[in-house]
């Protein structure tokens, strides 16, 4: 049988229509295989979707777009232009940081203005910004090839190129310790390390590698997709369907079907879907426990999963507000006066803080389409512990809501409660029950050194045959850019196993990035 005829017969089922599943669907369909995406919710996108009520629109989870290069290349592989499909606006300032210990920092991608902003807080730290920027540009350039390839064993770590990078990566240092080489003021260090919360981790324990997160913001931009991040996954679904992908909504997968240890499809309440391979885009821990019998998993058993460290969770408030906060930044972050204690409350003591750090998105100052005329859509996020017996959310939710609303005055947002016209709250318990996140951990397994690279569940899942993983639970990890990269890695491995040539590698002609993509 010819290779072209084989491609027509290959059938792939993808469990979950989140960003990783949709990216994999595009790449696999482009390569000629038949793809069906099965999603339990009523819309695509998973947590990268839109909550739309009474004329207000809110991003469910991610609220900004970082490092668009990967998704631009995936769209280019499908013959589409991401910037034409989803217009995006680069933000300047990127966000406003308010320090509970005093002072604030208006983060801008204009490097000269950023040095001046740092100098206003701590004059001696301004010079460290240029060194930080150049060192992390080098770090990202050298480490990027490793983020773009699978890690299957410790042998991948022992490669000569990886060993040569150890002085650059400094794996023995935490993020905060590494930043001390550039900045003496704790507030400045927090300004370049709070991004570890994108991984659900503390900068005092997060590996120093992740200094590249804040660097990416300044080098490549913080973007707002018009219509919110949910517009991105809707566009991905359109592109996938144009390539022939079928998407089933409101169809929870109950179990995977096996012939021995080989996956042969999935079963929902209403149908059985046969497949030559299964891609899991659902939360790894919950999906394995629910869909695969424990005895079939040699390494990632229920007991092994229970022994792992999971990230923090988030307390979410989506508020439709009467009136417009014109003087409130698109992104505002408040960092608790005693930030270390706040993180200890979340990660070690698993209790609710009296002075919680929080984040507010006031996207209507950039994108008025997100609320009715004369109104605002406020998105408020407070990092909290994942599910724990120490916190009874039905009992404590109302009091914590009051605490978070009171905190808003610390960033200059007054009179919110009397202006609320719509309100939705999501707690860690909701993340677990409604969104299927193990322990309600919104960033999956923690990204410590014992749970990174080959120590995360592999893209080609090591316990089962013809089962593949995409998303934050596998390599490279959490965050939209690396989730898209996981889709590329996984798709290449899957096609290799099916003896199908990827079609995107030679056909993706990347459109030049807009001029605003270049660093100032």
């Amino acid at each position: 049988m010819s290779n072209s005829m084989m491609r027509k017969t290959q059938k792939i089922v993808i469990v979950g229509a989140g960003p990783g599943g949709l990216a994999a669907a595009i790449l696999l369909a482009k390569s000629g295989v038949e793809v069906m995406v099965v999603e339990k919710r009523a819309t695509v996108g998973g947590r990268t979707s839109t909550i739309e009520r009474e004329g207000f629109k809110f991003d469910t989870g991610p609220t900004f777009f970082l490092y668009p290069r990967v998704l631009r290349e995936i769209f280019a592989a499908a013959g589409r232009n991401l910037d034409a499909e989803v217009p995006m606006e680069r933000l300047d300032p990127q966000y406003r940081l308010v320090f509970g210990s005093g002072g604030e920092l208006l983060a801008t991608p204009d490097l000269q203005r950023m040095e001046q902003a740092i100098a206003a807080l701590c004059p001696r730290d301004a010079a460290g910004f240029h060194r930080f920027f150049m060192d992390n540009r080098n770090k990202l350039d050298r480490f990027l090839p490793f983020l773009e390839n699978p890690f299957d064993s410790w042998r991948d770590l022992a490669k000569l190129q990886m060993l040569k990078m150890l002085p650059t990566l400094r794996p023995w240092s935490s993020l905060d310790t590494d930043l001390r080489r550039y900045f003496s003021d704790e507030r400045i260090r927090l300004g370049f390390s709070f991004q570890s919360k994108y991984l659900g981790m503390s900068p005092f324990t997060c590996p120093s590698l992740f200094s590249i997160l804040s660097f990416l913001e300044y080098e490549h931009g913080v973007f707002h997709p018009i219509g919110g991040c949910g517009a991105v996954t809707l566009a991905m679904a359109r592109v996938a369907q144009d390539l022939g992908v079928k998407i089933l909504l409101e169809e929870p997968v109950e179990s995977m079907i096996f012939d021995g240890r080989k996956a042969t499809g999935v079963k929902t309440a209403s149908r059985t879907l046969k497949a030559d391979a299964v891609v899991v885009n659902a939360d790894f821990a919950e999906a394995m426990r629910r869909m695969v019998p424990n005895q079939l998993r040699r390494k990632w058993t229920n007991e092994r999963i229970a022994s792992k460290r999971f990230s923090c969770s988030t307390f979410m408030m989506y508020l439709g507000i009467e009136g417009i906060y014109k003087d409130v930044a698109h992104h505002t972050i408040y960092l608790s006066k005693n930030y270390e204690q706040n993180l200890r409350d979340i990660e070690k003591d698993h209790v609710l803080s009296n002075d919680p750090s929080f984040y507010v998105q006031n996207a209507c100052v950039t994108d008025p389409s997100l609320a009715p005329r004369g109104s605002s859509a406020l998105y408020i996020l407070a990092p909290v512990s994942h599910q724990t017996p120490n916190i009874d959310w039905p009992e404590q939710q109302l009091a914590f809501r009051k605490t978070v609303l009171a905190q808003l005055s610390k960033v200059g947002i007054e009179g919110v409660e009397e202006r609320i016209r719509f309100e939705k709250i999501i707690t860690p318990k909701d993340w677990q029950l409604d969104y299927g996140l193990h322990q309600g951990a919104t960033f999956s397994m923690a990204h410590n050194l014992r749970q990174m690279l080959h120590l995360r569940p592999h893209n080609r899942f090591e316990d089962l045959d013809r089962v593949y993983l995409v998303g934050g639970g596998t390599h490279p990890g959490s965050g939209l850019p690396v989730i898209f990269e996981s889709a590329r890695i996984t798709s290449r491995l899957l096609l290799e196993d099916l003896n199908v040539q990827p079609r995107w590698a030679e056909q993706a002609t990347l459109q030049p990035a807009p001029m605003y993509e270049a660093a100032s």
Side-chain angles (χ1 to χ4, degrees):
M1 183 181 294
S2 72
N3 203 33
S4 61
M5 292 179 66
M6 285 182 63
R7 280 197 290 268
K8 292 179 182 178
T9 64
Q10 306 296 337
K11 295 184 179 181
I12 310 298
V13 168
I14 298 177
V15 181
L22 293 172
I26 291 170
L27 295 170
L28 293 171
K30 179 63 180 176
S31 296
V33 300
E34 184 180 322
V35 181
M36 179 171 287
V37 180
V38 189
E39 168 58 46
K40 69 178 180 180
R41 301 186 69 81
T43 186
V44 300
R47 282 166 286 156
T48 310
S49 59
T50 304
I51 296 170
E52 189 168 359
R53 301 284 192 282
E54 300 176 23
F56 296 98
K57 294 181 181 180
F58 309 88
D59 285 320
T60 306
T63 56
F64 63 87
F65 205 80
L66 184 65
Y67 197 53
R69 180 182 73 86
V70 183
L71 191 57
R72 280 196 183 114
E73 291 175 354
I74 291 172
F75 267 61
R80 307 290 271 271
N81 185 308
L82 173 62
D83 299 283
E85 297 283 345
V86 188
M88 299 191 194
E89 183 162 339
R90 185 172 184 173
L91 300 180
D92 185 6
Q94 298 174 155
Y95 40 77
R96 172 181 170 233
L97 294 172
V98 179
F99 302 102
S101 56
E104 61 179 71
L105 183 66
L106 210 57
T108 170
D110 183 308
L111 304 189
Q112 184 176 0
R113 284 167 45 214
M114 189 62 189
E115 281 190 1
Q116 293 169 352
I118 292 171
L121 275 179
C122 182
R124 67 179 178 274
D125 279 356
F129 179 56
H130 180 72
R131 289 192 297 110
F132 167 84
F133 198 87
M134 299 307 295
D135 287 354
N136 278 273
R137 177 180 284 165
N138 176 56
K139 181 188 289 189
L140 178 64
D141 286 346
R142 297 186 65 187
F143 193 65
L144 201 56
F146 295 92
L147 290 175
E148 294 172 343
N149 288 284
F151 269 72
D152 293 328
S153 77
W154 62 268
R155 293 179 181 84
D156 293 312
L157 286 177
K159 291 177 180 176
L160 181 61
Q161 302 97 311
M162 191 70 172
L163 294 175
K164 287 181 177 179
M165 289 184 58
L166 291 179
T168 300
L169 297 181
R170 299 172 60 83
W172 52 83
S173 292
S174 71
L175 178 52
D176 181 71
T177 299
D178 187 62
L179 289 173
R180 289 174 185 269
R181 298 189 298 134
Y182 308 98
F183 309 116
S184 61
D185 191 302
E186 181 187 31
R187 296 170 299 174
I188 307 299
R189 294 199 301 275
L190 288 178
F192 288 90
S193 65
F194 78 86
Q195 293 85 353
S196 62
K197 272 285 165 264
Y198 302 164
L199 307 173
M201 293 191 69
S202 158
F204 306 106
T205 57
C206 182
S208 63
L209 162 67
F210 293 108
S211 61
I212 61 176
L213 290 176
S214 57
F215 165 76
L216 282 172
E217 294 177 342
Y218 294 96
E219 177 85 328
H220 294 282
V222 172
F223 292 84
H224 171 74
I226 300 303
C229 285
V232 175
T233 48
L234 285 176
M236 294 175 72
R238 290 196 305 270
V239 172
Q241 289 172 317
D242 287 348
L243 291 171
V245 175
K246 296 178 181 178
I247 300 177
L248 298 179
L249 299 176
E250 297 184 281
E251 191 96 21
V253 172
E254 295 181 343
S255 62
M256 225 178 283
I257 306 167
F258 292 95
D259 180 4
R261 308 187 75 83
K262 179 182 177 182
T264 59
V266 302
K267 184 177 181 181
T268 73
S270 60
R271 69 190 86 196
T272 296
L273 300 171
K274 292 289 187 178
D276 296 288
V278 176
V279 177
V280 178
N281 183 220
D283 180 81
F284 168 76
E286 284 297 296
M288 288 301 129
R289 287 153 46 92
R290 187 183 76 252
M291 292 165 41
V292 181
N294 196 35
Q295 65 269 19
L296 278 184
R297 290 177 269 127
R298 295 168 178 163
K299 179 179 178 182
W300 291 97
T301 62
N302 291 347
E303 295 75 19
R304 173 86 181 275
I305 291 171
S307 72
K308 292 299 178 180
R309 283 192 59 193
F310 284 81
S311 78
C312 71
S313 188
T314 56
F315 176 85
M316 312 293 305
M317 298 182 70
Y318 309 91
L319 304 179
I321 300 292
E322 182 180 333
I324 300 173
Y325 288 99
K326 294 181 180 179
D327 298 325
V328 176
H330 186 115
H331 298 303
T332 301
I333 297 136
Y334 169 78
L335 298 164
S336 175
K337 182 175 182 179
N338 189 338
Y339 193 63
E340 283 198 66
Q341 180 60 52
N342 179 215
L343 294 176
R344 190 156 48 246
D345 291 341
I346 295 169
E347 296 186 339
K348 294 184 179 179
D349 298 338
H350 300 290
V351 296
L352 295 176
S353 296
N354 294 322
D355 179 29
S357 301
F358 64 91
Y359 156 73
V360 179
Q361 183 203 38
N362 179 35
C364 288
V365 295
T366 303
D367 185 357
S369 72
L370 300 177
R373 188 178 181 86
S375 300
S376 301
L378 291 188
Y379 167 116
I380 303 167
L381 178 157
V384 293
S385 169
H386 55 237
Q387 279 279 69
T388 168
N390 294 353
I391 302 173
D392 183 340
W393 279 109
E395 178 70 24
Q396 295 176 259
Q397 175 177 317
L398 192 60
F400 195 65
R401 171 191 181 273
K402 184 177 180 180
T403 297
V404 173
L405 286 175
Q407 290 287 87
L408 296 179
S409 64
K410 295 181 178 180
V411 298
I413 302 177
E414 305 284 356
V416 169
E417 188 153 19
E418 57 267 29
R419 298 166 68 175
I420 295 174
R421 298 297 175 263
F422 168 81
E423 177 175 352
K424 179 179 176 63
I425 290 176
I426 295 180
T427 71
K429 184 174 182 179
D430 300 317
W431 284 128
Q432 181 168 20
L433 295 179
D434 297 342
Y435 285 83
L437 305 184
H438 185 64
Q439 297 183 5
T442 48
F443 306 96
S444 190
M445 287 196 302
H447 293 70
N448 56 43
L449 289 177
R450 295 183 179 182
Q451 297 182 169
M452 286 175 58
L453 302 173
H454 69 291
L455 299 175
R456 288 183 92 70
H458 296 172
N459 302 82
R460 179 194 278 128
F461 187 46
E462 59 266 47
D463 277 3
L464 303 164
D465 295 332
R466 295 296 170 91
V467 175
Y468 304 82
L469 307 178
V470 296
T474 188
H475 173 72
S478 293
L480 288 178
V482 290
I483 285 173
F484 295 137
E485 197 59 70
S486 80
R488 290 206 288 199
I489 294 169
T490 295
S491 297
R492 285 199 304 268
L493 293 172
L494 188 157
L495 293 172
E496 176 184 308
D497 292 345
L498 295 183
N499 197 29
V500 174
Q501 183 69 31
R503 292 187 186 176
W504 70 84
E506 66 275 11
Q507 293 187 12
T509 302
L510 183 60
Q511 299 293 324
M515 290 301 294
Y516 53 62
E517 183 78 345
S520 300

